[in-house]
């Protein structure tokens, strides 16, 4: 399955979604629509065990399409149009682990997509940023909620209100990314990570993802009950 802006490849139980919108993999309405269709298919496919987001060219994604911004009646009107389909809700509905394999600029949409993933692997040339505050806006892809859950309130707020560009090494120190590898090793390292996760028992991995996300989305007592229910379901399936 592929689109002019997105390519989908499968390797056993790993599904790779590759952005291919040169020169900088900007995010526009056509990309959004294609991504929604692909994610819907991924969610419906029980054979998918891992999803990997990657990109061609020099950048993972440099954010939104400025030409689309320029033709809209206002910045806010274009933002509403771009989010007319709930790609972020679909991302949260993916039950299997998602990996972001980032290089070059992972800015705006690029960083927000990565924050929806479960593991963020950055090449040593990667730069992340949430630049919306510089034009008087908030991130619209959930970063004001996902980043504090990843790194805490203080570091999350600083990134959102400053819009500063953060290098891969600094992003690792701050907890924005989980691993930093040489650019030349990014593909091989990502494939190895994805294959290792895909080799784990699928039901247990899905349950682990659901349980851990419950830790940040639910009150403690509710999350503990959720963990107990998931563990009981796994035990029943094995008996």
């Amino acid at each position: 399955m592929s689109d002019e802006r997105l390519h989908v490849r499968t390797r056993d139980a790993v599904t790779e979604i590759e952005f291919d919108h040169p020169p900088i993999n900007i995010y526009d309405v056509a990309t959004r629509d294609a991504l929604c269709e692909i994610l819907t298919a991924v969610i419906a496919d029980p054979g998918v065990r891992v999803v990997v987001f990657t990109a061609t060219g020099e950048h993972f994604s440099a954010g939104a399409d400025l030409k689309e911004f320029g033709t809209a009646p206002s910045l806010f009107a274009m933002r509403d149009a771009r989010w007319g389909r709930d790609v972020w809700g679909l991302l949260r509905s993916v039950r299997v682990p998602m990996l972001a394999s980032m290089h070059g600029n992972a800015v705006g949409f690029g960083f927000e997509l990565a924050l929806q993933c479960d593991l963020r692997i950055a090449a040593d040339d990667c730069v992340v940023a949430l630049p919306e505050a510089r034009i008087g806006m908030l991130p619209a892809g959930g970063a004001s909620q996902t980043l504090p859950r990843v790194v805490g309130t203080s570091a999350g707020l600083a990134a959102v209100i400053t819009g500063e560009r953060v290098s891969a090494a600094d992003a690792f120190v701050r907890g924005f990314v989980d691993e930093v590898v040489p650019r030349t090793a990014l593909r091989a390292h990502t494939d190895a990570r994805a294959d290792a996760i895909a080799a784990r028992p699928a039901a247990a991995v899905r349950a682990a993802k659901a349980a851990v996300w419950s830790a940040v989305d639910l009150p403690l007592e509710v999350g503990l009950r959720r963990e107990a229910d998931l563990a009981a379901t796994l035990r029943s399936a094995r008996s």
Side-chain angles (χ1 to χ4, degrees):
M1 178 179 183
S2 66
D3 177 85
E4 64 179 22
R5 290 172 171 80
L6 294 171
H7 305 294
V8 181
R9 302 182 181 91
T10 58
R11 187 181 69 258
D12 297 324
V14 176
T15 293
E16 178 182 302
I17 303 172
E18 179 185 67
F19 293 97
D20 184 10
H21 189 189
I24 55 176
N25 289 316
I26 53 177
Y27 185 74
D28 57 12
V29 171
T31 302
R32 178 206 66 188
D33 290 345
L35 185 54
C36 284
E37 297 301 325
I38 290 167
L39 289 173
T40 298
V42 165
I43 292 167
D45 187 348
V48 177
R49 293 192 176 192
V50 178
V51 175
V52 176
F53 291 97
T54 186
T56 63
E58 294 303 311
H59 301 287
F60 183 68
S61 176
D65 188 340
L66 296 180
K67 290 182 179 179
E68 285 191 339
F69 270 115
T71 58
S74 70
L75 294 176
F76 297 95
M78 191 59 244
R79 179 59 60 90
D80 290 342
R82 275 210 337 276
W83 306 130
R85 295 181 68 182
D86 188 13
V87 64
W88 307 108
L90 288 170
L91 285 164
R92 297 303 315 139
S93 297
V94 176
R95 297 174 58 206
V96 301
M98 297 187 294
L99 282 61
S101 182
M102 304 178 291
H103 65 279
N105 285 335
V107 175
F109 161 78
F111 191 26
E112 292 197 273
L113 174 70
L115 289 169
Q116 297 279 354
C117 292
D118 306 293
L119 181 66
R120 286 164 292 283
I121 304 171
D124 52 11
D125 69 341
C126 186
V127 174
V128 301
L130 297 168
E132 287 84 357
R134 297 183 179 182
I135 55 173
M137 302 183 73
L138 278 175
S144 68
Q145 304 303 304
T146 54
L147 187 56
R149 284 169 164 79
V150 171
V151 300
T153 303
S154 181
L157 179 60
V160 172
I161 65 176
T162 65
E164 68 176 319
R165 293 170 59 83
V166 181
S167 69
D170 196 9
F172 177 74
V173 171
R174 300 188 194 192
F176 294 175
V177 301
D178 300 296
E179 299 175 352
V180 177
V181 300
R183 172 69 180 271
T184 55
L186 180 63
R187 180 56 184 260
H189 183 84
T190 300
D191 286 351
R193 275 293 202 186
D195 290 343
I197 295 170
R200 304 287 189 269
V205 171
R206 289 188 178 95
K209 174 171 177 171
V212 172
W213 276 105
S214 294
V216 296
D217 291 337
L218 299 173
L220 177 59
E221 63 273 15
V222 179
L224 289 172
R225 289 198 297 271
R226 173 69 168 151
E227 181 187 70
D229 290 343
L230 289 165
T233 299
L234 285 175
R235 287 195 298 271
S236 297
R238 295 177 62 184
S239 62

